[in-house]
Amino acid sequence: MSEISFTSAIRPVSLRDFSSAVTKIGSKHSVNYPWTINESIKAQAAYTTNICDCTMLGISDGENVLMMHICPTVEQNHNLFSLKQFIARHINLKNTNLEGMLIGSKMNKKSQEIYEKLSNLLQNFKIPYSELKIGKDPIKTAYSSQTDEWIVSSPYIDKLIKKGTEPLSVLNSTFEKVKIADTDEVV
């Protein structure tokens, strides 16, 4: 994937900064309940909140992001064929600038199943991606193609930022698994 010419930033932010950022994005670009593929958003910027046992999948092409917030308690969300077809219809899979982000899940069977299906789809599509898996509390995230930046926030992240904790340490303290793709950087 040496064709990729940009690097996405991953930034933990305070709850206040998150609120300010999503106000600029606007509520029409928010992925909301009931968290199926039908609520997914493709736009220059998007956000979602309350990622607990759900999995957020974001795929950026440098101009837009496809953001999905997939709830494991909804049976239709476990249909691998539907997930694959939905992504293929909304993303040009031949674009060499694609980058992905996975956030969420909990340590239960249904939650892990969704997360693993989405992770496997990214691998099968050969999309490099970063992971922030199993957070300590409900996670909020947003992406802006203008800045090519993912922001993540939660009450726990907010506390760590107020203590002056470095960004990578914030992520490592908040999530059980942090994997940063070569195409991304924590800032």
Side-chain angles (χ1 to χ4, degrees), residues 126-142:
K126 295 182 175 42
I127 300 172
Y129 65 100
S130 291
E131 296 179 73
L132 302 174
K133 188 174 183 183
I134 307 174
K136 291 195 183 307
D137 56 358
I139 303 296
K140 303 170 186 242
T141 191

Side-chain angles (χ1 to χ4, degrees), residues 57-76:
L57 167 66
I59 302 173
S60 167
D61 62 10
E63 294 178 26
N64 289 294
V65 65
L66 172 64
M67 186 177 286
M68 303 166 68
H69 184 151
I70 305 298
C71 180
T73 61
V74 179
E75 277 310 308
Q76 73 188 42

Side-chain angles (χ1 to χ4, degrees), residues 75-114:
E75 277 310 308
Q76 73 188 42
N77 287 345
H78 291 265
N79 185 319
L80 181 61
F81 180 79
S82 293
L83 292 167
K84 185 176 182 178
Q85 291 300 312
F86 184 83
I87 293 168
R89 276 195 311 272
H90 290 86
I91 294 291
N92 174 4
L93 296 170
K94 293 180 181 178
N95 183 334
T96 57
N97 286 329
L98 296 179
E99 293 182 286
M101 172 66 83
L102 276 179
I103 299 175
S105 88
K106 290 293 181 203
M107 286 304 298
N108 66 59
K109 185 180 179 189
K110 283 188 171 205
S111 182
Q112 288 296 303
E113 183 180 297
I114 293 284

